[in-house]
Amino acid sequence: MGVKGFVEGGIASIVAGCSTHPLDLIKVRMQLQGENAAVSVPTQQQLHTLRPALAFQPTSATVHIPSSSFHVPTPPPPPPPRAGPISVGIRIIQTEGVAALYSGVSATVLRQTLYSTTRMGLYDILKQKWTDKDSNTMPLIRKISAGLIAGGIGAAVGNPADVAMVRMQADGRLPPAQRRNYKSVIDAITQMSKQEGVTSLWRGSSLTVNRAMIVTASQLASYDSIKETILEKGLMKDGLGTHVTASFAAGFVASVASNPVDVIKTRVMNMKVEAGKEPPYKGAIDCALKTVRAEGPMALYKGFIPTISRQGPFTVMLFVTLEQVRKLLKDF
């Protein structure tokens, strides 16, 4: 029974991930909007470099003030207006072609195979163990706990594929000279290991684990709870309508809960670390502070529309496919 849960969850996750990959790519591009402004926030020392240069010179009737005495920092250019998901999608198609919407899809397949298969399988195992045998119910707190555990372990397993996916999705927004040009997810992981060390494959892993715990707990627990409520109240029968309704609601809950962590995770994973230079962000907290200072608190909800636009269909595809796969494999 344990292996069956992993197989069912893996198949459903891969189908859902590939189906909604363009929406995920647009979300990543939107989350990276304004990142340069966040990295290059001027410090207080830079803003106070005006030197006192006026002084009387008693031996000369003319006061000469060298032009180099004053250093007035050039204010950073205003950030470009934020583009919506439709504008971002159209721009990608116009500049990179339709195929660019599936940049990094190989990383998505690997990520779903590692991350989602693990979390779905573990959640199913914990659900079977923690369900009350007499009432055949599982309290909400246990569902949330199962989601937290399953999501955290799954994220740790799938982090290398997650880093590769973010980089491959974001590559097209860079100037040609700065692009990494990974050929596939295997090439991305290989190059990262050689150039930045094996530890780079787990860059942002704390964020990935935190986000996965939030997403899995909110997504799976809310889906089960909403589905059970619909069936108990007799609002709908156990069928496609119930599955779609419960899964879309679960997707909305997961999007609201996870978007701030997702924005920080995307930026930390995408940052380019060069030898001998200080990295743009020292860590998750530093990234969050720089982002909020430069772009405001609502920057943490950048990409929310494409997030819910992706998370909704993804969750619907995930659970609808999962229910169908369960029917097909019920005799195994």
Side-chain angles (χ1 to χ4, degrees):
M1 291 299 295
V3 175
K4 185 180 176 182
F6 284 92
V7 173
E8 292 170 346
I11 294 172
S13 299
I14 291 171
V15 171
C18 291
S19 301
T20 58
H21 183 82
L23 295 173
D24 193 47
L25 184 142
I26 291 172
K27 177 204 71 174
V28 168
R29 296 287 182 92
M30 290 187 69
Q31 289 175 338
L32 293 173
Q33 286 184 132
E35 183 184 29
N36 293 336
V39 174
S40 60
V41 176
T43 63
Q44 290 296 319
Q45 184 178 2
Q46 290 173 323
L47 293 176
H48 294 287
T49 54
L50 189 64
R51 296 182 299 169
L54 295 176
F56 291 105
Q57 300 180 10
T59 58
S60 175
T62 305
V63 177
H64 177 66
I65 303 175
S67 59
S68 60
S69 297
F70 289 96
H71 174 67
V72 180
T74 304
R82 297 176 183 176
I86 296 177
S87 300
V88 172
I90 292 174
R91 186 188 306 156
I92 292 172
I93 293 173
Q94 289 176 338
T95 58
E96 304 170 49
V98 177
L101 293 174
Y102 275 88
S103 297
V105 71
S106 61
T108 292
V109 173
L110 181 61
R111 177 178 180 269
Q112 297 299 339
T113 302
L114 297 176
Y115 159 62
S116 288
T117 299
T118 303
R119 72 176 182 129
M120 298 291 285
L122 287 177
Y123 181 82
D124 191 59
I125 291 174
L126 294 173
K127 183 179 175 182
Q128 291 178 31
K129 288 185 176 296
W130 292 352
T131 296
D132 187 89
K133 304 300 180 184
D134 298 326
S135 61
N136 198 31
T137 59
M138 182 177 176
L140 179 60
I141 188 65
R142 290 189 181 180
K143 293 175 184 175
I144 294 174
S145 299
L148 291 172
I149 295 170
I153 296 174
V157 172
N159 200 82
D162 208 357
V163 177
M165 183 185 71
V166 168
R167 290 191 173 197
M168 292 174 75
Q169 288 177 334
D171 213 32
R173 65 184 283 272
L174 298 172
Q178 298 179 19
R179 292 178 186 174
R180 299 180 176 100
N181 294 319
Y182 298 136
K183 298 175 183 177
S184 66
V185 62
I186 302 300
D187 180 52
I189 292 175
T190 303
Q191 286 195 41
M192 287 171 61
S193 301
K194 290 180 180 178
Q195 297 172 4
E196 304 173 46
V198 177
T199 56
S200 67
L201 298 176
W202 274 270
R203 180 172 295 148
S205 58
S206 61
L207 290 165
T208 306
V209 169
N210 289 335
R211 177 189 178 277
M213 292 172 70
I214 294 170
V215 168
T216 305
S218 57
Q219 188 184 64
L220 300 186
S222 60
Y223 174 78
D224 283 344
S225 298
I226 293 169
K227 179 185 172 184
E228 289 170 5
T229 301
I230 291 174
L231 296 177
E232 287 175 3
K233 301 291 184 181
L235 301 175
M236 301 173 73
K237 295 182 179 180
D238 189 4
L240 183 62
T242 300
H243 303 157
V244 171
T245 302
S247 57
F248 192 84
F252 180 80
V253 173
S255 299
V256 173
S258 66
N259 203 88
V261 180
D262 199 26
V263 171
I264 304 304
K265 175 185 79 75
T266 296
R267 294 191 172 195
V268 170
M269 286 183 169
N270 187 61
M271 70 176 177
K272 197 167 187 176
V273 180
E274 299 180 6
K277 293 185 179 181
E278 186 177 349
Y281 307 117
K282 297 177 182 177
I285 297 177
D286 182 52
C287 179
L289 292 174
K290 285 182 177 178
T291 299
V292 171
R293 285 171 184 167
E295 306 169 59
M298 289 309 295
L300 297 177
Y301 273 91
K302 273 187 174 181
F304 179 75
I305 298 301
T307 294
I308 185 61
S309 299
R310 182 258 180 188
Q311 193 69 259
F314 174 84
T315 311
V316 170
M317 287 292 297
L318 174 66
F319 287 113
V320 169
T321 305
L322 180 62
E323 298 284 1
Q324 299 305 311
V325 172
R326 282 175 176 170
K327 289 180 181 179
L328 292 173
L329 301 180
K330 65 180 179 180
D331 296 328
F332 290 90

